[in-house]
Amino acid sequence: MSEPCSTAVVLGASVAGLLAAGVLSDFYSEVTVVERDELSDQPVTRRGVPQGVMPHIPAARGMRIMDELFPGFLDELVVAGTRVWNDGDLSRLCITFNGHQFQRADTIPDPQRLAMYFVHRPFLEWSLRRRVTALPNVKFLDGHDAVRMTSTARCDRLTGVVVARRDSGAETTLSADLVVDATGRGSRTPALLEELGFPRPREDELTVHVTYAGLPVQLPRGTLRELIAFAAPQPSRPRGYAMFAGQDDTYMLAVQTVAGHAAPSDHASLLNCLSELAPPHVLAAARCAQPLADVAQYRFRSNRWRRYDKLASMPDGLIVIGDALCNFNPLYGQGMSVAAIEALVLRDCLSQGRAGLQWRFFGRSAKEIGVAWRAAVSSDLALPQIPGKRPTSVRLTNAYLDRVLAAAEVEPALIQQFLLSLNMIEPPSRLLRPSMVARVIKASRRRTRVSDA
């Protein structure tokens, strides 16, 4: 499908950049991935991905897309030790949202619709990079920064990128028919556009001031049945925790605070904070776990969506993807899956030709991003500690969602539907179907009878 002598440059070798490079390899004869970090041949946390040491569960939709783009990828992860929840057994999940712990003594009605893969972020990224590295027309240029973009004399089309070695500052110009910015939240594309005489994109933002404190740990086999133990921050307690399984018997353990509240800075204070958040058996498991690193902190300031889809003009030959386009509160696990969805959008747009590529990409991506954005922002605004306007639609949505979460204490079908939404397989609006509303009402009555007994 590639055209003769057509070239593409991807800035950033994180998940978004790797997925973009995989897509571009089918349409361009040469693809160069530029990464500021020195890339290791081992699955280690990179400086450019400080959140890599924190718990991650890639949403199921994102994992399915990765397997679509790289056939056999999920099977490779499982062979390498990734654990999978695909039998619907709720005893393997210890999940609390808004103070409501999901029912744990049953199975969801249709387990085949939902498979969750438990793999730590550094291992997932390394596994993807191996697949991309194997593509014959993709090469990596690590240890380099993108300095500026080059363009035609009229600045109406990008012609490439100037990159500089991080160790010496020596510059090289990479020619490109397409430049894809996947450099994450710190993307310099708005400033580079301004240098070329174009406006910066509008930014939609909700400030949350989230801090994570966490570390990887090793558990003795059989210590913890659950693959996930998790409690989200709630209005009465702006703290939460997560303990997620990964390859073999390793877990990622973290405490999360919101609205600028202080987070633990060492192992002892993390366990002390966990004692206020986790069930006794999870706390016991955390206490007997062997730390594999020191406690690290990761700070996240705000949900932010750069609205390239709203710009009136920009040079041709530019795509922005992943966190460089939109990033979300990590609590909801949307980032990698949204990047995967954007990679599919890019593939579909390229398959229809390159005329008007970026406008089609940004427009279609905005529709997909909008669903995840509204879900994340509404959930954040359920916490009174988060400043922001709460229109009637948000208040009604959060009030109903609290009823759903309360009903999930006793109703596996509602747990399934909530998890399908959380994993981006179905939109949150599916929770409003008459059959789901009826289940919420019925479960609420059942909870009332139990509490009155």
Side-chain angles (χ1 to χ4, degrees), residues 28-344:
Y28 291 82
S29 56
E30 296 180 8
V31 180
T32 302
V33 182
V34 179
E35 169 55 48
R36 69 195 310 268
D37 290 337
E38 298 284 348
L39 296 174
S40 171
D41 59 0
Q42 298 296 318
V44 296
T45 300
R46 294 190 294 109
R47 181 178 181 181
V49 190
Q51 69 271 34
V53 296
M54 301 302 160
H56 283 75
I57 301 180
R61 186 179 178 190
M63 297 302 283
R64 291 180 183 180
I65 293 172
M66 292 178 200
D67 199 56
E68 179 181 345
L69 295 176
F70 300 98
F73 181 68
L74 293 181
D75 289 340
E76 291 177 7
L77 291 180
V78 173
V79 169
T82 293
R83 303 168 75 179
V84 188
W85 184 75
N86 58 6
D87 61 0
D89 181 1
L90 292 172
S91 71
R92 307 300 301 277
L93 313 180
C94 182
I95 299 176
T96 301
F97 273 100
N98 206 20
H100 303 291
Q101 181 171 302
F102 289 0
Q103 209 249 55
R104 306 192 59 222
D106 211 330
T107 59
I108 60 175
D110 189 3
Q112 299 304 312
R113 299 180 63 197
L114 182 62
M116 296 166 60
Y117 288 79
F118 291 80
V119 54
H120 299 319
R121 170 67 180 265
F123 190 83
L124 176 64
E125 182 181 300
W126 174 75
S127 300
L128 276 175
R129 190 165 69 243
R130 290 179 65 195
R131 291 295 295 264
V132 176
T133 302
L135 297 172
N137 59 334
V138 177
K139 65 178 181 179
F140 285 78
L141 190 62
D142 60 352
H144 283 71
D145 282 317
V147 177
R148 59 188 176 274
M149 297 178 183
T150 60
S151 69
T152 59
R154 296 173 56 189
C155 296
D156 59 342
R157 168 171 286 278
L158 297 186
T159 58
V161 182
V162 177
V163 299
R165 289 185 59 92
R166 303 207 80 211
D167 55 3
S168 67
E171 294 187 352
T172 303
T173 299
L174 302 177
S175 298
D177 299 292
L178 180 70
V179 176
V180 177
D181 177 7
T183 56
R185 185 178 175 87
S187 164
R188 295 185 60 244
T189 289
L192 296 176
L193 282 177
E194 202 167 45
E195 290 176 8
L196 293 173
F198 293 90
R200 289 173 175 256
R202 184 187 94 199
E203 293 186 355
D204 296 342
E205 191 170 31
L206 179 69
T207 300
V208 292
H209 285 303
V210 169
T211 301
Y212 285 88
L215 74 165
V217 298
Q218 184 91 31
L219 282 181
R221 187 173 294 274
T223 302
L224 190 65
R225 176 172 176 76
E226 291 86 351
L227 297 171
I228 171 175
F230 168 80
Q234 60 193 67
S236 62
R237 188 195 65 204
R239 297 184 306 282
Y241 83 95
M243 193 168 181
F244 294 170
Q247 305 82 252
D248 303 318
D249 297 311
T250 60
Y251 280 71
M252 288 289 187
L253 171 64
V255 167
Q256 178 203 54
T257 66
V258 300
H261 288 260
S265 58
D266 56 44
H267 191 229
S269 58
L270 187 149
L271 290 177
N272 184 57
C273 186
L274 194 67
S275 68
E276 304 173 3
L277 305 171
H281 74 288
V282 175
L283 178 61
R287 282 178 168 161
C288 75
Q290 177 187 354
L292 300 177
D294 293 333
V295 171
Q297 289 192 348
Y298 169 64
R299 291 179 173 83
F300 175 86
R301 181 181 182 276
S302 61
N303 300 280
R304 186 172 64 191
W305 184 2
R306 292 186 171 111
R307 301 304 303 267
Y308 290 95
D309 58 303
K310 300 294 186 182
L311 284 177
S313 62
M314 73 175 81
D316 289 339
L318 173 65
I319 294 290
V320 183
I321 197 170
D323 283 359
L325 177 56
C326 183
N327 62 341
F328 309 86
N329 186 338
L331 173 68
Y332 310 116
Q334 297 169 305
M336 286 187 282
S337 287
V338 170
I341 292 168
E342 291 164 358
L344 283 190

